[in-house]
Amino acid sequence: MIRSMTAFAHHEIASAHGKLSWELRSVNHRYLDISLRVPEEFRSLENNFRTLLQNRLHRGKLEASLRYAAGVGENSAIVVNEPLARALIIACRQIEALTNSTETLKAVDILRWPGVTLDSAPDLEKLGQEAELLLVTALNDLIATREREGKRLAEFIDSRCDQIAEILVRIRKRRPEIISGIKDKIHQRLAELDVIPDNNRLEQELVILAQRLDVDEELDRLMAHLDEINAVLERDEPIGRRMDFLMQELNREANTLASKSNDAETTQAAVDLKVLIEQMREQIQNIE
C-alpha cells in the first residue's frame, strides 16, 4: 500500500508521573527530515525517539513535539530545601533581635518563600517508557492516516492512467487515416499544378514523410510506462521517487508525440496527455 507524506496525529496520556502528549505533523519532502522537540527531562532519550521514527518512515518532513506536565501522585511529597530554610530562620531571628520584635515567622510563611520547597524528582525511567509507548501509538496513527491518503492517491493515478490509455488507443487508430490524408493532399496538389510527377521520387518522399510522422515507438513507450506505473503501485515499499521518474518519462514521450503531430486532433490529444500527466505529477509529489 502506498503512503502519502501528508498527515497529522496527536495522542496524550495522564498518569501519576505526569501528563505526556505527542504531536506529529508530516508534509512532503524529497528526503526524510525529522525535526524533534522534547522537554529538557527527555534529552537523553532523543536519539531513541529519532531512531524509532527513522525505522518507520522513509520520506517527508516530520515535526514531532513532546509536551510534559508534572503530575501529582498519591505518594507525592513536598521536598524542603533545608539549608535555605535554616538560613531564612536565622535571618528572621537576627531581624527580630535588632527590632525587638516578638512576632515570630510562621512555618507556612517559610514554605511560601521562593526556593524553600523543591519539586520532587520524577521517575525518568518510567516517564521515558511511557513517552516511547505513546510515540509508537501516535506514529501508528500517523502512518494509518498516510496509508488512507495513499489509497486515495492510488485511485486517482489509476483513473488518470486509464484516461491516458484511452487517448493512446485513439491516436494509434487515427494514424493510418492521417497518412492516407497526407498522400491524398499531395496528389491533389500535384493535379492542381498540372505536372507529371516522378512516381519513384514521389514514393520515396512519401516514405520519408511517413517515417518522420511515425509515432508508433512513442505510443509503445507510453503504454509501457503505464504498465510500469501499475506494477509500481503494487509494490510494498516507498515508490515516490520511482513514480516521479516515470512522470518525467511520460512527459518526455508526450512532448515528442506533440512535435511529430501534424493533425489538429492529434495535437489536442497530446495536450490532453500532458494535462493528465501534470495532474499525476502534482499528486505524486505527496507519495512517500
Side-chain angles (χ1 to χ4, degrees):
M1 179 180 292
I2 71 172
R3 295 177 182 173
S4 167
M5 287 187 283
T6 304
F8 171 82
H10 176 86
H11 281 268
E12 62 181 41
I13 57 171
S15 68
H17 304 107
K19 182 178 179 180
L20 294 168
S21 66
W22 276 105
E23 185 172 289
L24 307 180
R25 297 176 181 268
S26 68
V27 295
N28 61 320
H29 195 272
R30 189 173 182 181
Y31 305 105
L32 179 61
D33 182 11
I34 298 175
S35 176
L36 189 60
R37 297 185 182 90
V38 299
E40 193 63 36
E41 296 92 334
F42 297 87
R43 288 293 179 190
S44 61
L45 298 173
E46 188 170 346
N47 286 338
N48 293 353
F49 297 149
R50 189 176 297 275
T51 299
L52 195 155
L53 294 169
Q54 290 173 339
N55 288 340
R56 301 287 302 280
L57 303 174
H58 302 279
R59 289 182 69 199
K61 182 175 178 59
L62 176 71
E63 294 182 359
S65 300
L66 173 64
R67 292 182 175 85
Y68 166 66
V72 179
E74 295 178 358
N75 299 322
S76 298
I78 296 176
V79 179
V80 177
N81 186 345
E82 293 187 7
L84 179 59
R86 289 195 186 96
L88 183 61
I89 293 170
I90 292 172
C92 288
R93 288 175 180 173
Q94 290 175 344
I95 296 299
E96 290 171 4
L98 290 173
T99 59
N100 294 321
S101 173
T102 58
E103 185 176 350
T104 59
L105 189 64
K106 296 180 181 179
V108 69
D109 294 328
I110 296 174
L111 290 173
R112 291 196 185 109
W113 194 269
V116 170
T117 58
L118 302 174
D119 293 334
S120 57
D123 188 334
L124 294 180
E125 184 178 352
K126 291 183 178 180
L127 273 175
Q129 293 173 355
E130 292 179 350
E132 286 195 30
L133 289 174
L134 185 63
L135 177 58
V136 171
T137 301
L139 186 55
N140 288 339
D141 190 13
L142 184 84
I143 291 174
T145 301
R146 289 168 68 139
E147 289 179 346
R148 287 193 297 271
E149 180 64 21
K151 182 179 180 181
R152 288 191 287 269
L153 290 175
E155 292 171 352
F156 176 90
I157 294 169
D158 277 337
S159 172
R160 296 306 184 274
C161 285
D162 290 342
Q163 293 179 53
I164 290 174
E166 291 174 2
I167 292 174
L168 296 180
V169 170
R170 237 178 19 243
I171 293 175
R172 194 184 294 275
K173 287 182 177 179
R174 182 162 172 74
R175 295 315 292 173
E177 181 182 343
I178 294 172
I179 299 299
S180 177
I182 292 173
K183 290 181 179 180
D184 291 341
K185 285 182 180 179
I186 292 175
H187 285 293
Q188 182 180 354
R189 182 59 175 166
L190 291 173
E192 291 173 355
L193 294 174
D194 193 19
V195 296
I196 301 175
D198 183 339
N199 289 328
N200 290 333
R201 180 63 183 274
L202 179 60
E203 288 299 322
Q204 289 177 359
E205 292 298 329
L206 288 174
V207 169
I208 292 173
L209 180 61
Q211 290 176 342
R212 190 184 309 131
L213 299 178
D214 182 31
V215 293
D216 283 343
E217 187 176 349
E218 285 76 13
L219 294 175
D220 289 341
R221 281 199 291 262
L222 283 165
M223 290 300 295
H225 292 328
L226 294 182
D227 292 339
E228 178 65 14
I229 289 172
N230 290 328
V232 170
L233 288 174
E234 299 298 325
R235 295 183 182 180
D236 187 19
E237 60 184 34
I239 62 171
R241 293 177 185 172
R242 178 66 177 172
M243 293 290 286
D244 189 54
F245 169 76
L246 288 171
M247 291 304 105
Q248 295 177 33
E249 292 299 300
L250 281 175
N251 194 59
R252 185 168 66 85
E253 298 299 339
N255 285 334
T256 304
L257 185 65
S259 67
K260 289 187 174 182
S261 171
N262 65 332
D263 169 66
E265 185 175 331
T266 304
T267 300
Q268 182 58 51
V271 172
D272 293 341
L273 282 178
K274 290 174 66 66
V275 170
L276 293 170
I277 293 167
E278 180 61 21
Q279 289 175 352
M280 286 197 295
R281 190 195 67 80
E282 290 178 355
Q283 296 301 321
I284 284 170
Q285 300 305 308
N286 289 322
I287 293 179
E288 184 180 44

PDB file of all heavy atoms in Angstrom, residues 39-40 92 120 137 143 178 183 188 207 212 231 245 250 274 276 278-279:
ATOM      1  N   PRO A  39      11.087  18.109  25.904  1.00  0.00           N
ATOM      2  CA  PRO A  39      11.477  18.849  27.107  1.00  0.00           C
ATOM      3  C   PRO A  39      12.871  18.429  27.578  1.00  0.00           C
ATOM      4  O   PRO A  39      13.381  17.367  27.216  1.00  0.00           O
ATOM      5  CB  PRO A  39      10.408  18.454  28.127  1.00  0.00           C
ATOM      6  CG  PRO A  39       9.257  17.961  27.312  1.00  0.00           C
ATOM      7  CD  PRO A  39       9.855  17.331  26.104  1.00  0.00           C
ATOM      8  N   GLU A  40      13.467  19.255  28.428  1.00  0.00           N
ATOM      9  CA  GLU A  40      14.825  19.004  28.890  1.00  0.00           C
ATOM     10  C   GLU A  40      14.943  17.662  29.600  1.00  0.00           C
ATOM     11  O   GLU A  40      15.983  16.990  29.510  1.00  0.00           O
ATOM     12  CB  GLU A  40      15.266  20.136  29.826  1.00  0.00           C
ATOM     13  CG  GLU A  40      16.743  20.159  30.123  1.00  0.00           C
ATOM     14  CD  GLU A  40      17.576  20.391  28.872  1.00  0.00           C
ATOM     15  OE1 GLU A  40      17.148  21.140  27.987  1.00  0.00           O
ATOM     16  OE2 GLU A  40      18.669  19.779  28.787  1.00  0.00           O
ATOM     17  N   CYS A  92      15.686  35.688  60.115  1.00  0.00           N
ATOM     18  CA  CYS A  92      14.500  36.254  60.769  1.00  0.00           C
ATOM     19  C   CYS A  92      14.773  36.535  62.249  1.00  0.00           C
ATOM     20  O   CYS A  92      14.357  37.564  62.795  1.00  0.00           O
ATOM     21  CB  CYS A  92      13.311  35.316  60.614  1.00  0.00           C
ATOM     22  SG  CYS A  92      12.649  35.266  58.923  1.00  0.00           S
ATOM     23  N   SER A 120       9.571  17.519  43.554  1.00  0.00           N
ATOM     24  CA  SER A 120      10.097  16.163  43.686  1.00  0.00           C
ATOM     25  C   SER A 120      10.545  15.648  42.324  1.00  0.00           C
ATOM     26  O   SER A 120       9.912  15.913  41.307  1.00  0.00           O
ATOM     27  CB  SER A 120       9.025  15.225  44.262  1.00  0.00           C
ATOM     28  OG  SER A 120       7.877  15.249  43.441  1.00  0.00           O
ATOM     29  N   THR A 137       2.208   4.792  19.557  1.00  0.00           N
ATOM     30  CA  THR A 137       0.773   4.935  19.288  1.00  0.00           C
ATOM     31  C   THR A 137       0.506   6.071  18.318  1.00  0.00           C
ATOM     32  O   THR A 137      -0.260   5.927  17.351  1.00  0.00           O
ATOM     33  CB  THR A 137       0.018   5.194  20.602  1.00  0.00           C
ATOM     34  OG1 THR A 137       0.240   4.103  21.504  1.00  0.00           O
ATOM     35  CG2 THR A 137      -1.470   5.332  20.359  1.00  0.00           C
ATOM     36  N   ILE A 143       0.876   6.894  10.451  1.00  0.00           N
ATOM     37  CA  ILE A 143       1.083   6.015   9.296  1.00  0.00           C
ATOM     38  C   ILE A 143      -0.255   5.556   8.731  1.00  0.00           C
ATOM     39  O   ILE A 143      -0.427   5.462   7.507  1.00  0.00           O
ATOM     40  CB  ILE A 143       1.956   4.818   9.701  1.00  0.00           C
ATOM     41  CG1 ILE A 143       3.392   5.292   9.981  1.00  0.00           C
ATOM     42  CG2 ILE A 143       1.960   3.750   8.615  1.00  0.00           C
ATOM     43  CD1 ILE A 143       4.304   4.218  10.530  1.00  0.00           C
ATOM     44  N   ILE A 178      -4.437   9.543 -41.014  1.00  0.00           N
ATOM     45  CA  ILE A 178      -3.654  10.769 -41.201  1.00  0.00           C
ATOM     46  C   ILE A 178      -2.687  10.620 -42.366  1.00  0.00           C
ATOM     47  O   ILE A 178      -2.579  11.503 -43.236  1.00  0.00           O
ATOM     48  CB  ILE A 178      -2.894  11.118 -39.905  1.00  0.00           C
ATOM     49  CG1 ILE A 178      -3.878  11.491 -38.801  1.00  0.00           C
ATOM     50  CG2 ILE A 178      -1.911  12.259 -40.147  1.00  0.00           C
ATOM     51  CD1 ILE A 178      -3.237  11.671 -37.444  1.00  0.00           C
ATOM     52  N   LYS A 183      -1.206  11.763 -48.168  1.00  0.00           N
ATOM     53  CA  LYS A 183      -0.965  11.307 -49.544  1.00  0.00           C
ATOM     54  C   LYS A 183      -1.997  11.898 -50.495  1.00  0.00           C
ATOM     55  O   LYS A 183      -1.666  12.354 -51.607  1.00  0.00           O
ATOM     56  CB  LYS A 183      -1.006   9.785 -49.603  1.00  0.00           C
ATOM     57  CG  LYS A 183       0.167   9.101 -48.923  1.00  0.00           C
ATOM     58  CD  LYS A 183       0.048   7.589 -49.050  1.00  0.00           C
ATOM     59  CE  LYS A 183       1.236   6.892 -48.395  1.00  0.00           C
ATOM     60  NZ  LYS A 183       1.137   5.419 -48.499  1.00  0.00           N
ATOM     61  N   GLN A 188      -3.492  15.579 -54.787  1.00  0.00           N
ATOM     62  CA  GLN A 188      -4.420  16.628 -55.202  1.00  0.00           C
ATOM     63  C   GLN A 188      -3.671  17.893 -55.594  1.00  0.00           C
ATOM     64  O   GLN A 188      -4.005  18.542 -56.596  1.00  0.00           O
ATOM     65  CB  GLN A 188      -5.401  16.921 -54.067  1.00  0.00           C
ATOM     66  CG  GLN A 188      -6.439  17.977 -54.426  1.00  0.00           C
ATOM     67  CD  GLN A 188      -7.392  18.250 -53.269  1.00  0.00           C
ATOM     68  OE1 GLN A 188      -7.350  17.590 -52.245  1.00  0.00           O
ATOM     69  NE2 GLN A 188      -8.246  19.243 -53.442  1.00  0.00           N
ATOM     70  N   VAL A 207       7.491   7.988 -48.242  1.00  0.00           N
ATOM     71  CA  VAL A 207       8.039   7.075 -47.228  1.00  0.00           C
ATOM     72  C   VAL A 207       8.798   7.865 -46.159  1.00  0.00           C
ATOM     73  O   VAL A 207       8.665   7.615 -44.958  1.00  0.00           O
ATOM     74  CB  VAL A 207       8.962   6.027 -47.888  1.00  0.00           C
ATOM     75  CG1 VAL A 207       9.739   5.253 -46.818  1.00  0.00           C
ATOM     76  CG2 VAL A 207       8.139   5.072 -48.730  1.00  0.00           C
ATOM     77  N   ARG A 212       8.954  10.202 -40.718  1.00  0.00           N
ATOM     78  CA  ARG A 212       9.099  11.367 -39.857  1.00  0.00           C
ATOM     79  C   ARG A 212       7.888  11.549 -38.942  1.00  0.00           C
ATOM     80  O   ARG A 212       8.008  12.023 -37.823  1.00  0.00           O
ATOM     81  CB  ARG A 212       9.294  12.613 -40.723  1.00  0.00           C
ATOM     82  CG  ARG A 212       9.692  13.852 -39.923  1.00  0.00           C
ATOM     83  CD  ARG A 212       9.773  15.083 -40.797  1.00  0.00           C
ATOM     84  NE  ARG A 212      10.599  14.846 -41.966  1.00  0.00           N
ATOM     85  CZ  ARG A 212      10.249  15.140 -43.222  1.00  0.00           C
ATOM     86  NH1 ARG A 212       9.049  15.669 -43.458  1.00  0.00           N
ATOM     87  NH2 ARG A 212      11.062  14.898 -44.218  1.00  0.00           N
ATOM     88  N   ALA A 231       2.479  -1.568 -12.125  1.00  0.00           N
ATOM     89  CA  ALA A 231       3.292  -2.531 -11.384  1.00  0.00           C
ATOM     90  C   ALA A 231       3.896  -1.889 -10.134  1.00  0.00           C
ATOM     91  O   ALA A 231       3.940  -2.503  -9.062  1.00  0.00           O
ATOM     92  CB  ALA A 231       4.402  -3.080 -12.282  1.00  0.00           C
ATOM     93  N   PHE A 245      10.093   9.690 -11.443  1.00  0.00           N
ATOM     94  CA  PHE A 245      10.890   9.416 -12.651  1.00  0.00           C
ATOM     95  C   PHE A 245       9.983   9.006 -13.817  1.00  0.00           C
ATOM     96  O   PHE A 245      10.169   9.457 -14.958  1.00  0.00           O
ATOM     97  CB  PHE A 245      11.908   8.311 -12.359  1.00  0.00           C
ATOM     98  CG  PHE A 245      12.595   7.771 -13.578  1.00  0.00           C
ATOM     99  CD1 PHE A 245      13.596   8.496 -14.207  1.00  0.00           C
ATOM    100  CD2 PHE A 245      12.221   6.540 -14.110  1.00  0.00           C
ATOM    101  CE1 PHE A 245      14.219   8.002 -15.357  1.00  0.00           C
ATOM    102  CE2 PHE A 245      12.836   6.045 -15.243  1.00  0.00           C
ATOM    103  CZ  PHE A 245      13.842   6.779 -15.870  1.00  0.00           C
ATOM    104  N   LEU A 250       7.017   9.925 -19.048  1.00  0.00           N
ATOM    105  CA  LEU A 250       5.736  10.123 -19.732  1.00  0.00           C
ATOM    106  C   LEU A 250       5.691  11.495 -20.392  1.00  0.00           C
ATOM    107  O   LEU A 250       5.248  11.638 -21.548  1.00  0.00           O
ATOM    108  CB  LEU A 250       4.580   9.992 -18.731  1.00  0.00           C
ATOM    109  CG  LEU A 250       4.131   8.591 -18.317  1.00  0.00           C
ATOM    110  CD1 LEU A 250       3.063   8.689 -17.239  1.00  0.00           C
ATOM    111  CD2 LEU A 250       3.607   7.799 -19.512  1.00  0.00           C
ATOM    112  N   LYS A 274      -0.579  15.707 -21.715  1.00  0.00           N
ATOM    113  CA  LYS A 274       0.292  16.498 -20.851  1.00  0.00           C
ATOM    114  C   LYS A 274      -0.466  17.017 -19.622  1.00  0.00           C
ATOM    115  O   LYS A 274       0.092  17.091 -18.530  1.00  0.00           O
ATOM    116  CB  LYS A 274       0.903  17.660 -21.633  1.00  0.00           C
ATOM    117  CG  LYS A 274       1.930  17.209 -22.671  1.00  0.00           C
ATOM    118  CD  LYS A 274       2.425  18.351 -23.523  1.00  0.00           C
ATOM    119  CE  LYS A 274       3.221  19.344 -22.699  1.00  0.00           C
ATOM    120  NZ  LYS A 274       4.470  18.760 -22.181  1.00  0.00           N
ATOM    121  N   LEU A 276      -3.051  15.483 -18.137  1.00  0.00           N
ATOM    122  CA  LEU A 276      -3.228  14.339 -17.242  1.00  0.00           C
ATOM    123  C   LEU A 276      -1.927  13.974 -16.535  1.00  0.00           C
ATOM    124  O   LEU A 276      -1.916  13.652 -15.342  1.00  0.00           O
ATOM    125  CB  LEU A 276      -3.751  13.140 -18.028  1.00  0.00           C
ATOM    126  CG  LEU A 276      -5.180  13.267 -18.585  1.00  0.00           C
ATOM    127  CD1 LEU A 276      -5.474  12.132 -19.546  1.00  0.00           C
ATOM    128  CD2 LEU A 276      -6.192  13.293 -17.448  1.00  0.00           C
ATOM    129  N   GLU A 278       0.565  15.986 -15.864  1.00  0.00           N
ATOM    130  CA  GLU A 278       0.868  17.022 -14.868  1.00  0.00           C
ATOM    131  C   GLU A 278       0.001  16.854 -13.625  1.00  0.00           C
ATOM    132  O   GLU A 278       0.460  17.056 -12.496  1.00  0.00           O
ATOM    133  CB  GLU A 278       0.644  18.409 -15.478  1.00  0.00           C
ATOM    134  CG  GLU A 278       0.918  19.578 -14.533  1.00  0.00           C
ATOM    135  CD  GLU A 278       2.350  19.624 -14.042  1.00  0.00           C
ATOM    136  OE1 GLU A 278       3.237  19.039 -14.693  1.00  0.00           O
ATOM    137  OE2 GLU A 278       2.581  20.246 -12.981  1.00  0.00           O
ATOM    138  N   GLN A 279      -1.258  16.480 -13.810  1.00  0.00           N
ATOM    139  CA  GLN A 279      -2.129  16.226 -12.662  1.00  0.00           C
ATOM    140  C   GLN A 279      -1.573  15.095 -11.801  1.00  0.00           C
ATOM    141  O   GLN A 279      -1.568  15.185 -10.567  1.00  0.00           O
ATOM    142  CB  GLN A 279      -3.545  15.875 -13.142  1.00  0.00           C
ATOM    143  CG  GLN A 279      -4.305  17.053 -13.728  1.00  0.00           C
ATOM    144  CD  GLN A 279      -5.647  16.643 -14.297  1.00  0.00           C
ATOM    145  OE1 GLN A 279      -5.977  15.460 -14.399  1.00  0.00           O
ATOM    146  NE2 GLN A 279      -6.451  17.625 -14.679  1.00  0.00           N
TER     147      GLN A 279
END
